[in-house]
Structures are given as structure tokens and as C-alpha cells.
Amino acid sequence: MRIQLSATKVHNDFIRKVEDMSGQDLLKCYQCGECSAGCPAAFAMDILPNQVIRLLQLGEHEAVLKSKTIWLCAACQQCYTRCPKGVDLSRIMEAVRDLLMLEHGDRIVIEKLPAETLAEFPQQAFISGFRKYTA
Amino acid sequence: MRIPYYPGCTLSTKAKGFDQAARQSFAALGIELAELKTWNCCGATFPLSRDNLLDLAGPVRNLVSAAAEGDKLAVACSTCFNVLKRSNLVMRNEEDKREKINFFIEADYAGSVQVLHLLEILRDEVGWDNLAKAVKKNLADLSVAPYYGCMFLRPPKEMGFDDHENPQILENFIRALGAQVADYPHRAECCGNYIAAFDLETTREMSYLILASARKAGADLIVTSCPLCQFNLDRWQQDLAMKHGGFRPIPVLYDTQLLGIALGLDTTTFDLDKHYVDPRPVLAEKGLI
Amino acid sequence: MAEHETPITRVLIIGAGIAGIQAALDIANSGYEVVLVEKEPSIGGRMLQLSETFPTLDCAQCILTPRTVEAGHHERIRLMTFSEVTDITGDIGHFTVTVQRKPASVNWDVCTGCGLCQEKCPTKVASPFDRAMGKRKAIYTLSPQAVPNKPVIDREACTWFTRGKCRLCEKVCPVHAIDYEQQATTTQVEVGAVIIATGYTLYSLQNLGEYGYGKIPDVVDGLAFERLLSASGPTAGKVRRPSDGKEPKQVVFIQCAGSRAPETAMPYCSKICCMYTAKHAMLYKHRVHDGTAYVFYIDVRAAGKRYEEFYHRATEEDRVIYVRGKVARVFRDGDQVVVWGADTLSGASVEVAADMVVLAPAMVPHPETQRLAEMLGIPANEYGFLLPLDDNILPVETTRPGVFLAGAVTSPKDIPETVAQASAAAAKVLSLFAQWSGVPQAMETPVGAEAS
Ligand SMILES: Cc1cc2nc3c(=O)[nH]c(=O)nc-3n(C[C@H](O)[C@H](O)[C@H](O)COP(=O)(O)OP(=O)(O)OC[C@H]3O[C@@H](n4cnc5c(N)ncnc54)[C@H](O)[C@@H]3O)c2cc1C
Ligand code: SF4
Ligand code: SF4
Ligand code: SF4
Ligand code: SF4
Ligand code: SF4
Ligand code: SF4
């Protein structure tokens, strides 16, 4: 794998949008990895939470957009709570999701969920799922 | 004492037993949980994008209604509690957003209401000692695993009413009821939250971590105060038992259900039969119902 | 104090760690008097607690003891241990210092240091010197090689003071040195200059709830591990975990516990912990050959002389496994201590079910140092480290003429750096004293004049 770094890449618009929407400074993260160490969903993720930030820092947002990780983040705030630098990664995840869905449409179609699931889930799960997986 | 009360959408539908147990238990303790005259869904998730002000308008509308009825707002569900409390802080501390939201919803609200979780009311208004005195049943033989989940404690800078790494409020509640606290490590790990709607397998495994460790610590049941945690922890235990040999399903109750039981209330409206893992056998075995 | 009076060529040194001792010896050996004030019953500071020192793995006590002994016997060093400075007035050349000595409950003038009282005392308490890994008696010295080697009674532990029972030490002492009635005493000394060398303590790990320190017995800090590694420690140098005394077969070391964390703890790097963690992992492997050591780190900072080589030795010779990521959580599972970390290099979160966890806490200044600083009008930074006049070129001077700084009191430091700084502070004091004693200021004979 080879990443070609360039000024246009590391300063690209997508990254600026992520910073603006999330209110987070991506370069504040010093890649300690504590977010990934405590993330309850990390075991199922294809890239680690800290790598989401790392790739954004390098302008490699395409790799982030392709990842499962942003959809598996449960917004549990564990990472933000413990981050030694106070980076709110859950806000960054949300900004990436929102930007992606603005362009490519919703991630899930509520009507297409299995009827059985629909009947059983508490309201809360739909409403928050709707908020996270649709634009 | 009368405290304005926000039940929220899940407690009005899928988790009626949680709501009923809350109202009746608090009534037995001399506190009327007075449902807000008008309320709407809180949104079930605090918006994390910076300019998502419309998503804040919903929860704030509830706070405005509450302000018309008193200076406190009691909340049972920890997710609603999280959303309402954080939205309230936005109104209190962020002038810009306050102005815009007030403009959207035609209100003039600046965060005056105190958003309180029912457990906080038990701790601060009733007091653990008084609660202990009101207990009618003997729970000494029951081992209870407290489950906090995420929304109750995080982010600590905003929620901050208990130590986020070493919370005690549920433990103290369980002790006040006279039951044993099952000490297990994963009481504040996430159950999977809404990702159940996206990837069920991941949610199940996240819940399993919690369930298995509570079982290992000798718990007879788990208590929580979030309907989504309750669902995630409760729903998949049969599947988990098949997948992870040796795992024995464990009932997951709402804190208010256990409270009502301890206070000796009639449990018919508590919907104990609606849980996936039936709590009644263990409660009956311990002579509690 | 009248201005024309000759300035006093005697120095007060506060804190008798390696910094204070080094400065005291340098100044005393140059012919001037030193008053060395130490709050503990004996001198040596943190170094006395260490097992071996990086990067040479010298036995810490072996290199320290000759110095403590020399300081203890030096005719121009007046040791005032178990004492604290309560007041300083005056200015450069003429400081008046009030020193308060806590009651030792032992008459040190007659005590021979025979140790019989300690041997017989029936009351045991957790030893702070051993980081609660071991016990000491209610009447105690910090270590068998203590200088001075005279005991004090811990009045909070001694049953005579707490319950009016015992007085055994009084009975056994062959020279009747025990004095339960002893009071605090106050002494005034006149000095011309002051060196503050009060060193450091460790960050309160209880604040980092996710690491379970204080709740899980097998989670210990670096100094506790030094005590376990020390031949003079509570386990005589054998690595045994506190909960059940078993030899831990898997040990996790966690670096940066409370350092480099502006949002959650201290923002700065504590500078020495990468090195002592490598040392710990290495010494653990030397003692437990079939054990496995893991070090969770963010960066390995090994910028001193032969430090990088030392780190390589830990990985290559001693097979220590370095895992790059900060640990998020430590919890107990049965009799194991489970660690949740990450390895950002392989892109995976990591779990280790260990037998023991050793944290490398941030170095912070002693809280009491703040009081000294206020008394002397010396500024401290926001964490309480004392500020030199200029970090670049006046590293031991302060805003107050005649007052100097040495050692870890200004920032985290290892021993070599501490000693160098102590000698620097001594040189500054000596140059003042030389001027005051009328040492010629101009060159008398031009250098090289004769050869031409
Ligand atoms: C776990 C660990 C391992 C280490 N291993 C190594 C190593 O292998 N090699 C290495 O080079 N360094 C090592 N160090 C660092 C070493 O401990 C320090 O560099 C050194 O101790 C600093 O010396 P000091 O004299 O400045 O401070 P200290 O050793 O802290 O001495 C200060 C003295 O001042 C006294 N004091 C404090 N306040 C007052 C007061 N108000 N009044 C009177 N007296 C007071 C204290 O009691 C103490 O005796 C290690 C540190 C730790 C924590
Ligand atoms: S914990 Fe914070 S600083 Fe560390 S890698 Fe994660 S986001 Fe970056
Ligand atoms: S908020 Fe998302 S990334 Fe952060 S710990 Fe929770 S699940 Fe992981
Ligand atoms: S009097 Fe106190 S110090 Fe002396 S032997 Fe008894 S307990 Fe120990
Ligand atoms: S027994 Fe007496 S002389 Fe011996 S160490 Fe104790 S106090 Fe000193
Ligand atoms: S010296 Fe190493 S372990 Fe210590 S704070 Fe700095 S980077 Fe962390
Ligand atoms: S070589 Fe220089 S940059 Fe590299 S670790 Fe050493 S001091 Fe730091």
C-alpha cells in the first residue's frame, strides 16, 4: 500500500467539512490509540477508530468512507470520555456519516428492515437508528 | 411532593411497565410524577453535528413545557435523560444556539429547568436511608448486577453527577433495597445502542460481553434504566446461549420494576411477563412475587 | 540586617534527595558549610527506593550509599532530618531560616542505632517507603542503611499514642533513648544562599479510574515495582504480586499513565518513564525467566546517552513485547487483571489477561513545595514545578537572588540530569561564596605568559 501525500490532498475540502461539522480539530489527535483500546465495537470494525482520524489527517478520506467502522460506531462516547486530548471522535464519525449520506443517500431504508425487527424494536432504536443511518 | 415528569415515547409504548412501576413506586414514596401536559419525542440521540439545531428543537420544546410546570423535570429513561440534560446545557451555556433555537420554536428559554434522573431523585430527595426504610420485601438473597450503559454517564463533563469510571448510584440504590450488588467489570460498556438496526451480530456480541460477565459475578438479574439497553440485553439471549455454550440467560429488569417489587407493590401493571427472559421464576424463587 | 555586614558563606539546602546531597557534598568539599534539611527521618530521597538504575543497571543503593554516608559524616554538613523549613526571611547573603523538627519520640543524641526497638515493636503498618507492598513497625527507620540510622515513632500507628498501651520499645532500649514526651523543636539558622531540591512525587493514579489503581491489588505503580525488584525490598527482590504472593507470569507495563494528557491529567511528558519501564520489563525478565512482559506505549522516548541501545536490549535480548497504543481499561476477572489496549501498528485492539499490571505515573512536584515557593516568592508553573529564571540559559537561578534550584523540583529528570543540575547549582553558590570570601577576581598571572 502506498499513499501519495500532497498539499492538495492533506488540505482537501472534505476534511475541512468534517472539521467544521464536527467542531473537532483533526490534528489535535496524536494517535495514542486509547480510543481504539476502549471502543466496545472495535472487535467488529475493519479499521480502528484512531485510524479513522489518521486517514483523515492524511487526506485519505476515501478509505474512511469505504469502511464499516463509521457505521458500527454506537456513539457511546467512551472514546471521547477517555481521550487524553479531548477529541470527540463520535462527532467526527457522525460528520463523516452525514457527509457521505448527503451525497449517496441513506444507509438503511427503514421500510426495508425485516417486519419482525420492526415489530420488536423499541421506538428509541428506530428513532436513533433513523438519525444515524439516514440523512 | 410533585415533580413534572417526562415519560418519553418508549415508555408510553413498548416499555409501559417501566413507566407504571416508576409512577407507582414514587407515589408510594410520596412523590407524584406529574406527566407533562404536552411533550414530544426527545429525538433519542443527542445531535453530534455542530449545526444540527433543528434536532435540538425537539428536546428543548419539552424543557419549555417543563419550565411552565415547575423548576425540575424527572426522567426515567437514561437515553431521554442524556438528550434532555445535554440539550438543556446547550440552552444554558451556548448563547448563539440558544437564540436560534428560541427563535425556531418561539420560546424564551435559557436552561432554567433542572433535569433529574429518577435515581438522582431517590438519592437526593428521598435519600437512601429513607428508601431503605420504605422497603417491604426482603431482597437479601438477591444478587443484582447494575448496568449503566453509556448514556447515563457520558460524556462526564456534561452528565457528571457520578464518577464515570466508578459510578455508585445504582449500587447504592440496590443496597438501599436490601439486595446484594454483583460486582462485574462491564457495567458501563455499551450494549450496542442503535447499531442493532444495522448490524445485529455486532450488537449481540457487545451485549454478550456484559451478560456473561454479570452471570460470572453471580448475578440473579440485571437492572438498567434504558429501554434500548433493556431490549439489547434481553432480546438475544436464546441465540447467545446457543452460540456460547454454557451461557445461562439472565433476566434484565428496569430499576423501577425492582423498586416497586421491593416496596411490596402490586406488580400486575409492571409487564414482568413481557420480558424475553422471564424474570418471574427467579423473583418467585426468592419469594419476591 | 545591615548592608555592610559580610554576607554569610553558609548554604541552606532543602531536600536531601540525590540533588540535595550532591550539591551539599560539592559545596562542603569546597570548604563551606551546609545546612541540609530533609522532611523524612533519613536522607537519600527517591533514589533510595530504586532497585537498579538505567541504563547501566547499577545497584542504586550501592552508588547512593557512599554519598549518603559521606554527607552524614561530613564535618561541614549539618543534617537536619525529620524537619521542615517553616519560615525564611532576609535576602541574599543574609537569610534567617526557621527549621521545625518533628518529634521523633527518640532521643537521637543517645540512640546508638542498634535496632532492637524496631525488632521488638509489636505494631506493624503498611510501609509508605515500600509503597505499601510491605510492612514496617510503628518505630522505624526508612531502610537498614538509613543515614542517620536512628528510628522515629509513627505516632499515628504506635499503640502507646493511640491506645495508651505498650511502651515495649522503652523497656528494650539499652540506652533509654525512647522519649514519648518529646516535643517539636524549632531552630534558627543564618545562611547566605538557598538551594531548593525537594524533588518529585507521583501523580495520584486514583484519578485515572479506568486503570483500577487502588481498587485492584495487582495494579501497582512504578515505585512499588522498584521495591519488589529491590534486594532490600519487602520480597527481597523476588517479583511477587500483592494479592496472593504468587509469581506473576504475565506482566503488563503501561506507560504515560497521567502524562501527555492535557484533557484528563498532566499535559507534559514525564521524560523518565519510558526508560524505567524498559528497565522494569528487563529486570522482571531477569528474575522470572519464563515470564512474559508487555509494554504498552505511545512513543518510546530514549534520547539520553545509551538509552536507545538500552531499549533495544529490552526487546532483543530480553524479548519484551512492545505494543503501540495507550491502554483504555484495566479490570479484574477472577484472579487475573485484564488489560484492554490497542496496537495501532497492526490496527487491532488488544486484550491481555495478565497477572499483574505496572503503571508508569506522571512525575509531579510535592504539594508542599508550593508553600516553600510562596515563602520565598519564587514562581511555579501551573503544575507546581518551580521556575528557573530562564529555561535556556539560567536553569538553576531563580527570580530571587541567592536562591537556586536543583533536580526534579523544576521538571521531571533522571538521575544523571539531576546530579548535573545539582552540581551546577552548587557552582553558582560557590561563585557567590568565593566573591564574598575575597577570592581574587582578576587573573593574576596571564596564562601562558611564561611559555612565550
Ligand atoms: C519508578 C521510578 C524509577 C526510576 N528509575 C530511575 C533510574 O533507573 N535511573 C535514573 O536515572 N532515574 C530514575 N528515576 C528518577 C529518579 O528517581 C530521580 O531522577 C531522582 O530521584 C531525582 O532526585 P531529586 O533529588 O531531585 O528528588 P527526590 O529524589 O524526590 O528527593 C527530594 C527529597 O526532598 C525531600 N523533600 C521534599 N519536600 C521537602 C520539604 N518541603 N522539606 C524538606 N524536604 C523535602 C524528599 O523527602 C526527598 O528526600 C526513577 C523514578 C521513578 C519514579
Ligand atoms: S484517544 Fe484521542 S488522541 Fe488518542 S488516538 Fe484517539 S482520538 Fe486520537
Ligand atoms: S463512540 Fe464510537 S468510536 Fe467511540 S468508543 Fe463508542 S463506538 Fe467506539
Ligand atoms: S510503644 Fe509504640 S513504638 Fe514502642 S514498641 Fe510499642 S507500639 Fe512499638
Ligand atoms: S533500641 Fe534504643 S538505641 Fe537501639 S535503635 Fe532503638 S532507640 Fe536507638
Ligand atoms: S517518558 Fe515515555 S512513558 Fe513517560 S510520559 Fe514521556 S512518553 Fe510517556
Ligand atoms: S534521534 Fe533525535 S529525534 Fe530520534 S529519538 Fe533520538 S532525540 Fe528523538
Side-chain angles (χ1 to χ4, degrees):
Chain A
M1 189 160 73
R2 186 188 194 93
I3 294 176
Q4 200 85 44
L5 291 183
S6 69
T8 41
K9 187 168 210 172
V10 298
H11 299 304
N12 79 46
D13 276 354
F14 186 90
I15 285 154
R16 262 202 301 243
K17 283 187 216 159
V18 170
E19 290 200 316
D20 192 56
M21 282 178 73
S22 65
Q24 305 299 304
D25 177 354
L26 291 168
L27 291 180
K28 209 168 153 186
C29 165
Y30 70 141
Q31 288 293 309
C32 69
E34 183 159 2
C35 46
S36 304
C39 173
F43 71 93
M45 291 172 169
D46 47 0
I47 57 173
L48 288 182
N50 75 283
Q51 291 177 307
V52 167
I53 300 197
R54 184 67 193 142
L55 289 164
L56 292 174
Q57 287 174 336
L58 297 180
E60 280 287 309
H61 58 276
E62 292 300 339
V64 173
L65 296 178
K66 276 190 276 184
S67 78
K68 244 170 76 179
T69 296
I70 52 174
W71 307 106
L72 287 176
C73 164
C76 76
Q77 313 267 326
Q78 189 67 273
C79 49
Y80 171 43
T81 299
R82 291 182 181 143
C83 173
K85 296 296 299 287
V87 177
D88 192 341
L89 184 43
S90 52
R91 285 185 190 265
I92 293 168
M93 298 272 197
E94 182 127 316
V96 173
R97 277 193 302 259
D98 284 354
L99 282 168
L100 191 64
M101 289 189 297
L102 277 176
E103 210 177 309
H104 298 287
D106 295 350
R107 181 70 189 192
I108 53 171
V109 182
I110 293 287
E111 295 74 43
K112 284 197 188 152
L113 287 177
E116 168 205 359
T117 317
L118 279 171
E120 283 188 65
F121 272 24
Q123 279 63 13
Q124 233 178 317
F126 287 122
I127 301 163
S128 50
F130 193 72
R131 287 245 165 121
K132 298 295 172 187
Y133 298 126
T134 64
Chain B
M1 197 192 308
R2 182 180 183 280
I3 305 181
Y5 169 61
Y6 176 83
C9 46
T10 311
L11 275 78
S12 313
T13 49
K14 292 256 162 59
K16 281 198 182 116
F18 184 12
D19 177 59
Q20 281 302 318
R23 292 183 202 236
Q24 290 169 30
S25 304
F26 274 68
L29 293 167
I31 296 175
E32 182 198 346
L33 295 178
E35 180 169 342
L36 289 181
K37 289 191 192 73
T38 52
W39 59 266
N40 49 268
C41 169
C42 69
T45 161
F46 182 78
L48 296 173
S49 257
R50 197 147 68 164
D51 352 279
N52 229 334
L53 294 187
L54 269 180
D55 285 352
L56 278 171
V60 172
R61 210 177 271 132
N62 292 316
L63 296 165
V64 174
S65 307
E69 296 185 36
D71 53 6
K72 290 182 181 142
L73 180 63
V75 189
C77 157
S78 27
T79 300
C80 303
F81 174 59
N82 177 286
V83 176
L84 292 169
K85 184 158 182 176
R86 297 183 74 186
S87 308
N88 202 35
L89 288 174
V90 170
M91 295 306 278
R92 209 177 273 178
N93 303 329
E94 297 183 48
E95 204 184 320
D96 257 33
K97 293 188 183 168
R98 171 168 63 227
E99 276 173 19
K100 283 189 193 142
I101 294 167
N102 275 330
F103 176 70
F104 290 154
I105 63 170
E106 295 176 31
D108 179 20
Y109 178 72
S112 61
V113 167
Q114 229 190 319
V115 180
L116 298 172
H117 191 273
L118 292 186
L119 284 166
E120 277 182 289
I121 298 176
L122 290 176
R123 180 186 68 188
D124 302 334
E125 305 277 345
V126 178
W128 300 130
D129 290 347
N130 289 331
L131 176 59
K133 282 183 208 137
V135 168
K136 298 272 172 0
K137 291 272 168 81
N138 181 357
L139 277 68
D141 199 22
L142 188 73
S143 173
V144 182
Y147 179 64
Y148 288 89
C150 347
M151 297 301 152
F152 199 36
L153 301 163
R154 297 194 285 268
K157 275 190 196 125
E158 291 166 56
M159 303 309 289
F161 59 92
D162 202 346
D163 181 337
H164 62 280
E165 294 290 356
N166 185 23
Q168 285 301 311
I169 197 165
L170 267 171
E171 277 77 355
N172 289 333
F173 166 75
I174 293 165
R175 279 186 209 110
L177 299 186
Q180 306 293 321
V181 175
D183 183 13
Y184 72 117
H186 300 312
R187 61 207 163 125
E189 294 301 337
C190 176
C191 66
N193 201 349
Y194 52 76
I195 54 179
F198 174 76
D199 180 348
L200 200 51
E201 196 44 38
T202 298
T203 323
R204 276 187 201 157
E205 287 310 309
M206 288 166 79
S207 294
Y208 177 68
L209 175 83
I210 298 153
L211 294 164
S213 97
R215 255 297 181 224
K216 197 167 166 191
D220 296 311
L221 50 84
I222 296 174
V223 289
T224 182
S225 58
C226 168
L228 185 47
C229 300
Q230 199 284 332
F231 178 79
N232 278 341
L233 293 184
D234 194 13
R235 174 63 185 87
W236 321 110
Q237 294 200 37
Q238 291 307 336
D239 312 71
L240 289 172
M242 306 248 272
K243 181 166 170 198
H244 299 277
F247 171 69
R248 226 159 27 92
I250 175 168
V252 186
L253 285 189
Y254 291 112
D255 51 356
T256 62
Q257 290 173 318
L258 189 68
L259 175 62
I261 291 168
L263 294 175
L265 303 184
D266 176 1
T267 60
T268 40
T269 56
F270 289 8
D271 286 349
L272 293 176
D273 54 329
K274 298 247 166 73
H275 293 263
Y276 292 90
V277 179
D278 193 346
R280 289 169 299 174
V282 66
L283 292 171
E285 182 198 316
K286 309 276 175 184
L288 298 172
I289 52 168
Chain C
M1 200 96 21
E3 262 190 32
H4 60 267
E5 269 180 52
T6 337
I8 305 159
T9 53
R10 182 187 301 124
V11 66
L12 165 75
I13 299 177
I14 310 173
I18 184 63
I21 293 173
Q22 180 66 39
L25 290 174
D26 286 350
I27 295 170
N29 287 335
S30 307
Y32 297 99
E33 287 177 17
V34 177
V35 178
L36 184 53
V37 176
E38 167 58 51
K39 72 177 162 88
E40 295 293 333
S42 53
I43 63 174
R46 291 287 181 210
M47 198 176 159
L48 209 59
Q49 287 172 288
L50 306 184
S51 53
E52 297 167 28
T53 58
F54 61 76
T56 48
L57 297 187
D58 285 321
C59 147
Q61 312 230 352
C62 312
I63 52 180
L64 179 64
T65 307
R67 284 183 161 76
T68 54
V69 170
E70 188 186 350
H73 289 120
H74 207 290
E75 52 188 0
R76 280 184 297 277
I77 297 178
R78 176 165 174 205
L79 280 190
M80 300 181 82
T81 61
F82 216 40
S83 300
E84 279 177 63
V85 172
T86 53
D87 194 32
I88 301 184
T89 55
D91 275 306
I92 178 167
H94 304 281
F95 292 102
T96 303
V97 183
T98 311
V99 181
Q100 196 177 60
R101 182 176 194 270
K102 291 170 269 188
S105 314
V106 175
N107 182 350
W108 281 15
D109 292 338
V110 299
C111 167
T112 60
C114 71
L116 206 59
C117 50
Q118 288 194 64
E119 198 187 305
K120 298 288 181 206
C121 170
T123 308
K124 283 185 181 172
V125 286
S127 155
F129 184 78
D130 284 335
R131 304 296 282 179
M133 295 286 104
K135 298 220 182 276
R136 66 151 161 77
K137 299 294 181 68
I139 184 164
Y140 70 99
T141 52
L142 288 187
S143 80
Q145 299 86 22
V147 174
N149 193 15
K150 314 239 168 149
V152 299
I153 293 182
D154 173 352
R155 292 188 171 185
E156 274 158 30
C158 164
T159 55
W160 171 246
F161 287 96
T162 57
R163 284 185 270 140
K165 286 199 190 82
C166 191
R167 295 185 83 120
L168 191 61
C169 48
E170 184 182 51
K171 282 188 208 98
V172 301
C173 176
V175 296
H176 309 291
I178 306 292
D179 176 4
Y180 300 110
E181 258 70 71
Q182 200 176 65
Q183 302 289 313
T185 50
T186 307
T187 315
Q188 288 210 329
V189 288
E190 305 284 327
V191 298
V194 179
I195 297 175
I196 307 181
T198 51
Y200 71 97
T201 186
L202 298 180
Y203 177 78
S204 298
L205 289 169
Q206 275 89 350
N207 296 344
L208 306 173
E210 60 271 40
Y211 290 164
Y213 181 83
K215 300 198 83 195
I216 308 171
D218 294 326
V219 176
V220 305
D221 69 14
L223 274 178
F225 203 67
E226 292 284 343
R227 297 312 298 146
L228 290 180
L229 294 170
S230 284
S232 65
T235 52
K238 297 193 180 71
V239 181
R240 295 285 181 266
R241 65 180 199 173
S243 64
D244 54 11
K246 283 195 191 133
E247 186 176 71
K249 295 295 183 198
Q250 292 202 87
V251 179
V252 167
F253 296 88
I254 299 178
Q255 295 197 169
C256 302
S259 297
R260 308 177 65 189
E263 282 297 315
T264 50
M266 312 315 276
Y268 51 83
C269 163
S270 290
K271 200 172 179 180
I272 58 160
C273 12
C274 279
M275 289 310 295
Y276 77 60
T277 300
K279 174 185 78 175
H280 286 171
M282 218 179 235
L283 293 178
Y284 163 71
K285 293 279 293 193
H286 294 176
R287 290 180 181 43
V288 183
H289 300 289
D290 59 345
T292 306
Y294 307 88
V295 175
F296 282 86
Y297 70 104
I298 308 177
D299 299 289
V300 174
R301 296 191 167 162
K305 185 176 171 190
R306 305 180 77 118
Y307 287 8
E308 181 71 7
E309 295 91 320
F310 187 75
Y311 158 53
H312 291 184
R313 193 176 139 195
T315 55
E316 291 164 35
E317 273 178 41
D318 293 307
R319 316 309 286 174
V320 175
I321 310 292
Y322 273 71
V323 186
R324 199 217 166 267
K326 192 166 187 208
V327 167
R329 217 174 149 225
V330 176
F331 58 88
R332 210 172 179 180
D333 185 18
D335 72 345
Q336 286 186 309
V337 195
V338 182
V339 175
W340 280 357
D343 182 49
T344 61
L345 301 180
S346 61
S349 62
V350 173
E351 178 175 299
V352 186
D355 300 315
M356 187 173 176
V357 168
V358 183
L359 303 172
M363 266 169 122
V364 296
H366 278 289
E368 311 98 89
T369 296
Q370 193 63 34
R371 197 179 48 85
L372 279 179
E374 278 162 22
M375 211 152 68
L376 283 159
I378 299 173
N381 70 11
E382 60 262 60
Y383 321 112
F385 287 113
L386 300 190
L387 283 173
L389 192 52
D390 184 307
D391 269 316
N392 287 325
I393 52 166
L394 299 168
V396 299
E397 288 86 341
T398 67
T399 50
R400 185 89 188 265
V403 179
F404 303 90
L405 307 171
V409 72
T410 60
S411 63
K413 280 180 193 64
D414 56 17
I415 294 163
E417 210 185 338
T418 296
V419 171
Q421 209 186 33
S423 289
K428 293 289 171 182
V429 169
L430 288 171
S431 90
L432 282 179
F433 288 1
Q435 289 171 40
W436 297 343
S437 324
V439 171
Q441 297 294 302
M443 225 177 245
E444 284 180 336
T445 327
V447 177
E450 264 153 83
S452 64

